[in-house]
Amino acid sequence: MIAIIAIVMIGIMMFVLMRNKAHPVIAFSILPILAGIALVFTVGINGPKGEILSISDQIGVVIEKWAAGGVKTTMSNATLFIFSIMYFGMMSDAGMFDPIVHGLTKISGSDPVKVYLTTCLIALVSQADGATATTYLVTIPAMLPLFKKLKLNVLSMLCLIGVTTGNWNMVPWGGTIIRTATTVTNLGTPATPNGLWVKILPTELLGMVLALALAVWFGMLDRKRLTKEYGPDYFKNIALDGPQIDQETDDLKRPNLLAFNLILTIAVIVSMVVTKVPAYLAFMLGTGIGAFVNYRGLATQTKVLENHASTAIGTASTFLCAGVFLGIFKDSGMTLALANLILGILPHGLLIHAGRIIGILGSVVGLVFSPDLYYYSLLPVVGEVVKAVGGSPEKVGLAMLIGENIGVPISPCVPTTFLAIGLAGVQLKDHILYSVKYDLLVSLIMVVFAMMMGVA
């Protein structure tokens, strides 16, 4: 019954989101609570010591413990989203990215293929620390103005950045491979992050080749689309005096403060990466300092901040409500019930391949499993099942690691997904619908390659 309620909730949620029937805030907040209440009236909820609770107390557990607990875990990330989006929006108004766009234009010209390749390489370098948030905060604000200038597909940009970061996140200091090593060890096969990385490195290098191939493909698609729409001379003309970047008005630009803004931005990112200063606090201070130095007077400061407040608050509120979904989904036992259901419907002969199947479908599975739930709830169940039929828990872990990492940039269960769409100004459903097919293809190729290499 728990699994059925979970499936109904997820099915309704995906329907209303993908068909534009409801705002994510509504879907993420109301539907999980209704599912939790449905649990109360079907299977019931016991107290912490197994005691029988009244109906009102059970509903209290759903709302006060599960839902509120989930929201508490998302508070700091929601604050980060608010101030990082406002900060980079303000810096864009001030013109900080103008010389960056001009410099990138000189490197890549107006050739879409070169622009996408540049985007891929910036994301690759930014992901060296294993922190996806850093990659988004560096790559998206830097490349978005150029994409708008050339009228390139922003959804393609997000998909490419996602595949690059997801693939390069499988490094020994990345959170997902650490989770994998921990779970595989608990399944009776000692493993270390470094040991797993050595085995998966050839597959990871293949993933980078696939990301570069995607960059070329997206560039060719945009070149064909824009040439058809604007004529064969579009890219020749735009190289000379292309369309203007979508900015507010020139009176908000601060070219004389370019050096200060660059130094401030570098300081914010460095403090976030190499110090113990919380990321949200770094951007909160950066926003305050940047607004004070660049814009004097309450009226101007208010105007600049309000320019981006709606996007920032909208992104943060969506993620806070997603916390309701994550809290109820985890604490109610829906994750374990779904995991058992998935394995229960597989024919016995395919159980030994369960890890590979879920790895290939990781982009879809990740839509309802956060990284913690995926590695600490789903992976142990799959690993035990495969181990029971003679399979290797380590190979299960590596196969599932590949699929989850490639698909994680589109998962609504991952905080940085909302950061990415907030910075890029796109809708969650559009991001998922556009990227999922490419993510599944990349996952399929990488998992099959890992199987051929004998590591998955």
Side-chain angles (χ1 to χ4, degrees), residues 112 218-229 235:
F218 287 148
M220 293 172 63
L221 287 179
D222 272 349
R223 181 191 292 158
K224 180 179 179 180
R225 173 179 61 84
L226 292 169
T227 298
K228 181 178 180 180
E229 186 173 352
F235 294 105

Side-chain angles (χ1 to χ4, degrees), residues 406-422:
I406 298 302
V408 75
I410 64 172
S411 173
C413 300
V414 179
T416 50
T417 299
F418 296 97
L419 177 61
I421 63 175

Side-chain angles (χ1 to χ4, degrees), residues 104-105 107-120 143 146-147 149-153 156-157 160 211-228 230-236 238-239:
L104 290 173
T105 304
I107 295 173
S108 61
S110 58
D111 183 358
V113 172
K114 293 180 180 179
V115 173
Y116 278 104
L117 287 172
T118 301
T119 303
C120 184
M143 297 305 301
L146 182 57
F147 270 74
K149 177 184 178 72
L150 298 176
K151 297 185 183 297
L152 302 182
N153 191 338
S156 294
M157 179 191 75
L160 178 62
L212 292 171
L214 267 183
V216 174
W217 173 250
F218 287 148
M220 293 172 63
L221 287 179
D222 272 349
R223 181 191 292 158
K224 180 179 179 180
R225 173 179 61 84
L226 292 169
T227 298
K228 181 178 180 180
Y230 295 102
D233 294 329
Y234 173 75
F235 294 105
K236 179 181 178 181
I238 203 172

Side-chain angles (χ1 to χ4, degrees), residues 335-360:
T335 52
L336 187 59
L338 276 182
N340 288 324
L341 179 64
I342 291 172
L343 294 174
I345 62 177
L346 284 177
H348 187 270
L350 291 179
L351 288 179
I352 196 169
H353 301 294
R356 296 161 180 163
I357 294 171
I358 294 176
I360 291 171

